[in-house]
Amino acid sequence: MTGPRALGTALGSIVGAGDVLSDVQTTAAFSSDATGTWRGSARCVVLPATADELAAVVTELASRDVAYVVQGGNTGLVAGATPLGGEVVVSTRRLSGVDSLDAPRREMRVRAGTPLAEVQRVAAAAGLELAVDLAARDAATIGGLVATDAAGARSLRHGRMGAQLLEVDVVLPEGVLVRGLEVQSRAATRATGADRGRYENLARFVAGSEGTLGTVTSARVRLVPRLDARATALVAVARVADAVELAARARRSLTSLDAMELVESDAVELVAEAAASHPPLAGTALVLLECAAAVSPRRELASFLEDVDEVRGVLVATDATARAQLWSWRRDVPAALASVGGHALDVGVPLARVPELLVRVRAALAALVPGSRLVAFGRLGVGALHLHVVGAAAGRTAVDAAIARAVVELGGDVAGEHGVGRAKAVLLERGCGEAPPEPARELKAVLDPRNLANPGVPALRGGAGRRRC
Ligand SMILES: Cc1cc2nc3c(=O)[nH]c(=O)nc-3n(C[C@H](O)[C@H](O)[C@H](O)COP(=O)(O)OP(=O)(O)OC[C@H]3O[C@@H](n4cnc5c(N)ncnc54)[C@H](O)[C@@H]3O)c2cc1C
C-alpha cells in the first residue's frame, strides 16, 4: 500500500481516522505560514495525541520514505512549518497540557503542543512565569518555541528559549522516541556508549533545530519569579548610535533591566498615522526601556536616565495602563507596517554594529531600488532587528542578498529572532552563509540520512550551531 489513501489508512490506525485530515479545505489552514506569503499543500495532516502515537506516526512515514513537516501553533514567520514540497504535516496540537509544576524548584514539565499562554496561566498561579514571552502566545507552542529558539522582549535578561530548557523528549527523524534528554547537562540520562555522544550533540543542537533533528514531544523548562513592580521609559535620541550607547550603558548599570527595544522615527510616524495621533517625542529614534523588580524600580530607572547625555526627551510610567500606552509605540509597529506593505527580514547583529548595518542597508536600497525605504525596529537588548523594506518588491531578491551580506560582514546572522525556515533558506543556498558546525552536520546525517524531517529547512543553528549568512 503506497497511495495517499493507503497512507491515510495506516496513519488513521495509529491516531484514529478522524485525526488524519486530507481534504484540501481543512488542510489549507496547515499549509501556509503566519505571514500568508508562503503557501504549500499538505499531503495530509496527522494529529497524534501522545508521544507514543507521534513516534508510531513518524516510524510509519519513515517506513514509506515519506517526508514530513512538524507543526506546532503555525505562528512561525519564516515558513519553517509549511509543507512547500507537499509533505505530510505532523501537528502537535493534540499533544497539549501541563504535566507538572514544581513551584519550589521553579520547573514545569509540559507537552510540546501546549500554547505558551497556557504555560503562563499555570505558572502565574504559583507566582512564576516562563521568561520567554511573545505576542503570538495564544497559539505558539512550547515545541515551536524550543525548535526556533525563540526570543522575546525579556530575552535580554533571561536568554532565549534554549536557555530555559532543562530536558526534552524527542522523536528522532526515523521514529525512535528518546526520553529524558537533559539539555542543561548536555547528556541523555539513559544513553550509553555511542548513543551517549550522539544524544549529547542532540541536546546541544535541539534548540533552534527547527524540526530538522526530530520532534520535541515534551519539555521540562525553568521558570522565573513574576516581577510585577515595573517601570517603563520611552526615550527619544538624536541618532541610532546614541540609542546603542544608551543601551550599552543600561545593560552595564541597570540591575533591574528587563526589556529594551528600538523604534526608528519612520516606524513611530506610521504608528501615529494609524492611530490618528502624533509621535510622543521628537527624535530620530525611540528606545523603550523597562525595569522589573520585587519593589518598584522607578528610582533606579529615573536616576540612570538623569545621568545619560543621549536623552533628548523621556516619558516614564509605572502603572499598567500608562506602561501599555508607552509599549504601544513598539507593539503596534507590525500592524502599522502591514498597512503600507513591503517585506521584512529579521536578522541578528552585535549591538555595536546596529548603526552601521542600518547605514549600509539604506545605501544598498538607494543603489538597488531608488525610492524604496527601510523601516527598522527590534530588540535592542539582544541585537535582533526587524528590517522592513517598503517599495522594493521588484528587487526583493537582490535587496535581501545585500542585507544578508551586510549582516554577515558585521558579524551577525540571518536566523535573527524567527529562524531560517524555508523563507531564508534561499539566502543560505546562495552561499552567503557559514556551514553549520561539523557535529551538527554529522548528527543530521546520522539521524536523518534520507532527509525526511523538515527537508526544506537547512537550519541547524541551535547553540554553537547558529548559522550565519
Ligand atoms: C504576532 C507574532 C509575534 C511574534 N513574535 C515573536 C517574537 O517576539 N519572538 C520570536 O522568536 N518569534 C516571534 N514570532 C514567531 C513565532 O511565534 C515563533 O517562531 C514561535 O516560536 C513559533 O511557535 P509555533 O508553535 O507556532 O511553531 P510553528 O510555527 O508551528 O513552527 C515553527 C518551527 O518549529 C518547528 N516545530 C514546531 N513544533 C515543533 C516540535 N514539537 N518539535 C520540533 N520542531 C517543531 C516547525 O517545524 C518549524 O520549523 C511571532 C509570530 C507572530 C505571528
Side-chain angles (χ1 to χ4, degrees):
M1 294 205 303
T2 51
R5 186 164 301 155
L7 175 64
T9 306
L11 296 176
S13 71
I14 299 167
V15 300
D19 287 304
V20 181
L21 315 174
S22 50
D23 76 279
V24 177
Q25 277 183 339
T26 322
T27 57
F30 298 82
S31 298
S32 61
D33 79 335
T35 66
T37 316
W38 299 86
R39 283 181 203 284
S41 171
R43 182 162 170 181
C44 67
V45 178
V46 55
L47 297 110
T50 65
D52 287 326
E53 279 186 11
L54 199 147
V57 162
V58 173
T59 303
E60 184 64 40
L61 295 174
S63 76
R64 293 164 181 263
D65 224 8
V66 171
Y68 62 94
V69 166
V70 185
Q71 193 176 99
N74 201 19
T75 67
L77 298 170
V78 290
T82 313
L84 294 182
E87 296 89 351
V88 167
V89 170
V90 178
S91 167
T92 60
R93 284 190 193 177
R94 289 176 70 223
L95 197 60
S96 178
V98 172
D99 283 327
S100 63
L101 169 68
D102 185 336
R105 293 174 70 115
R106 296 181 187 158
E107 288 179 17
M108 179 186 277
R109 187 175 286 279
V110 56
R111 292 179 216 168
T114 312
L116 173 59
E118 173 65 4
V119 167
Q120 299 295 36
R121 192 187 62 75
V122 174
L128 300 169
E129 64 184 339
L130 185 70
V132 175
D133 199 24
L134 40 87
R137 66 183 72 76
D138 288 337
T141 63
I142 288 301
L145 261 70
V146 170
T148 57
D149 195 15
R154 307 178 56 209
S155 294
L156 139 80
R157 189 173 202 170
H158 299 286
R160 298 174 71 120
M161 189 61 204
Q164 321 311 320
L165 198 58
L166 300 169
E167 188 181 308
V168 278
D169 293 354
V170 181
V171 171
L172 300 181
E174 305 233 344
V176 174
L177 172 58
V178 182
R179 293 189 194 269
L181 191 63
E182 286 187 16
V183 175
Q184 297 295 326
S185 67
R186 305 199 160 168
T189 46
R190 285 181 226 141
T192 53
D195 275 351
R196 188 168 187 90
R198 185 179 299 169
Y199 293 150
E200 278 173 2
N201 274 336
L202 182 54
R204 188 171 155 204
F205 295 117
V206 71
S209 60
E210 298 188 54
T212 57
L213 292 181
T215 307
V216 174
T217 59
S218 159
R220 182 162 59 88
V221 294
R222 86 180 170 108
L223 302 172
V224 296
R226 276 177 66 94
L227 298 173
D228 290 329
R230 290 181 173 265
T232 308
L234 200 57
V235 179
V237 292
R239 302 176 311 150
V240 172
D242 292 342
V244 166
E245 182 57 33
L246 173 74
R249 279 206 224 164
R251 292 195 70 151
R252 283 196 301 272
S253 19
L254 276 174
T255 53
S256 59
L257 186 62
D258 208 56
M260 194 158 52
E261 306 277 322
L262 173 75
V263 191
E264 275 200 296
S265 58
D266 269 7
V268 178
E269 272 158 30
L270 286 171
V271 173
E273 254 170 54
S277 73
H278 300 286
L281 296 163
T284 298
L286 295 180
V287 178
L288 188 140
L289 298 162
E290 183 157 283
C291 292
V295 292
S296 174
R298 186 189 171 108
R299 189 169 295 170
E300 188 194 12
L301 180 58
S303 66
F304 166 76
L305 291 171
E306 271 165 25
D307 284 347
V308 181
D309 296 336
E310 291 82 15
V311 175
R312 289 287 168 273
V314 62
L315 298 169
V316 178
T318 48
D319 73 87
T321 311
R323 286 196 303 102
Q325 180 58 36
L326 296 188
W327 267 101
S328 69
W329 293 103
R330 163 64 177 89
R331 193 194 54 220
D332 295 347
V333 174
L337 281 168
S339 64
V340 294
H343 77 277
L345 200 63
D346 84 299
V347 300
V349 73
L351 180 61
R353 315 307 293 272
V354 168
E356 195 178 345
L357 177 69
L358 298 181
V359 169
R360 284 206 200 184
V361 171
R362 289 200 163 101
L365 281 179
L368 291 168
V369 192
S372 61
R373 66 181 169 127
L374 172 70
V375 183
F377 64 105
R379 306 209 185 285
L380 203 48
V382 290
L385 279 189
H386 303 306
L387 303 178
H388 194 99
V389 180
V390 182
R396 178 172 179 167
T397 306
V399 164
D400 286 357
I403 294 177
R405 266 195 307 278
V407 166
V408 174
E409 283 164 18
L410 294 172
D413 69 84
V414 290
E417 197 173 60
H418 302 148
V420 172
R422 285 161 179 78
K424 296 180 195 164
V426 66
L427 293 172
L428 302 183
E429 279 158 19
R430 289 214 186 92
C432 54
E434 277 175 13
E438 191 55 33
R441 271 187 290 159
E442 266 175 23
L443 192 62
K444 177 69 178 174
V446 169
L447 295 182
D448 191 14
R450 290 177 288 162
N451 196 22
L452 297 177
N454 269 12
V457 176
L460 275 173
R461 66 186 184 91
R466 179 165 288 247
R467 288 193 67 163
R468 294 187 158 174
C469 180

